[in-house]
């Protein structure tokens, strides 16, 4: 995960020592609200963090470009180490027109119970994002890296890609 820090001098110095991209208020003002420049620079980053004091000024300094790119900064609430570890361990679900969602839910070292728990948590979260909940979901399949996919759930009476209900 590539992260950028927008903030005061102390946050920027901390980020610079650890090799994380950082932007002070002066650097941000140098963009001069030019949308192509802002898009080109911030396209490289997955997440952005910002100091509390600078957060209110971001729309005035940069304009709506970051918000339209879905990269509006998150506030630095605790320590920087804690915030960055939280960002790196977060999975973001994004829904687009295609309703096929693929995401990792586990790894080899997990027990069967831990894997089931991760899968149930991910499925319930995706169902909560849909307007009709589970009514929008046509089926759930588990796929391992080397094996065939396994049907976990499908609504009764729904024919999926050439498969007949049992």
């Amino acid at each position: 995960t590539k992260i950028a820090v927008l903030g005061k001098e102390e946050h920027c110095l901390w980020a610079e020592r650890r090799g994380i991209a950082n932007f002070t208020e002066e650097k941000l003002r140098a963009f001069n609200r030019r949308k192509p420049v802002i898009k080109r620079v911030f396209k490289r980053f997955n997440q952005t963090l910002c100091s509390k004091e600078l957060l209110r000024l971001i729309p005035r300094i940069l304009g709506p470009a970051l918000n339209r790119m879905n990269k509006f900064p998150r506030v630095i609430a605790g320590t920087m180490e804690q915030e960055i570890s939280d960002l790196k361990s977060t999975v973001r679900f994004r829904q687009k027109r295609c309703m096929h969602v693929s995401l990792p839910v586990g790894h080899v070292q997990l027990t069967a119970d831990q894997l089931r728990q991760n899968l149930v948590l991910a499925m319930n979260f995706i169902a909560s994002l849909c307007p009709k909940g589970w009514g929008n979901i046509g089926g759930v399949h588990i796929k391992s890296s080397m094996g065939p996919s396994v049907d976990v759930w499908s609504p009764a009476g729904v024919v999926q890609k050439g498969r007949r209900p049992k």
Side-chain angles (χ1 to χ4, degrees):
T1 305
K2 291 189 177 182
I3 299 172
V5 176
L6 318 175
K8 300 186 298 185
E9 290 295 327
E10 63 184 62
H11 291 135
C12 289
L13 288 174
W14 184 92
E16 195 171 316
R17 278 183 259 140
R18 284 157 181 79
I20 298 171
N22 57 72
F23 299 92
T24 59
E25 186 176 349
E26 293 80 35
K27 287 182 185 177
L28 293 174
R29 287 193 189 279
F31 290 137
N32 222 8
R33 292 182 68 121
R34 289 179 295 192
K35 189 176 175 183
V37 176
I38 295 169
K39 283 180 93 171
R40 186 176 63 239
V41 170
F42 284 96
K43 188 193 286 187
R44 294 181 282 160
F45 306 110
N46 299 330
Q47 300 279 344
T48 52
L49 285 173
C50 184
S51 302
K52 282 184 183 178
E53 296 82 15
L54 193 60
L55 188 68
R56 287 189 213 138
L57 301 175
I58 294 293
R60 277 184 249 153
I61 295 172
L62 297 177
L66 285 182
N67 203 15
R68 289 184 182 154
M69 294 170 61
N70 286 333
K71 297 194 179 182
F72 196 79
R74 188 171 143 180
V75 179
I76 300 170
T79 63
M80 290 287 286
E81 293 93 0
Q82 182 183 15
E83 290 290 333
I84 288 180
S85 67
D86 285 349
L87 282 179
K88 287 186 177 181
S89 62
T90 301
V91 176
R92 291 180 70 187
F93 294 94
R94 291 185 185 170
Q95 284 185 324
K96 297 191 178 177
R97 289 184 183 183
C98 179
M99 292 300 286
H100 297 240
V101 178
S102 300
L103 59 121
V105 291
H107 52 80
V108 178
Q109 283 82 23
L110 289 180
T111 64
D113 190 47
Q114 290 172 326
L115 188 61
R116 184 193 60 78
Q117 194 174 22
N118 284 355
L119 186 63
V120 168
L121 187 69
M123 288 177 4
N124 286 333
F125 183 76
I126 290 174
S128 72
L129 293 177
C130 297
K132 293 181 186 174
W134 284 95
N136 289 108
I137 297 175
V140 177
H141 312 284
I142 295 179
K143 174 79 171 91
S144 66
S145 60
M146 298 296 285
S149 64
V150 177
D151 293 338
V152 177
W153 180 83
S154 64
V158 174
V159 178
Q160 298 175 354
K161 290 189 182 178
R163 298 181 189 149
R164 300 271 177 200
K166 296 177 183 175

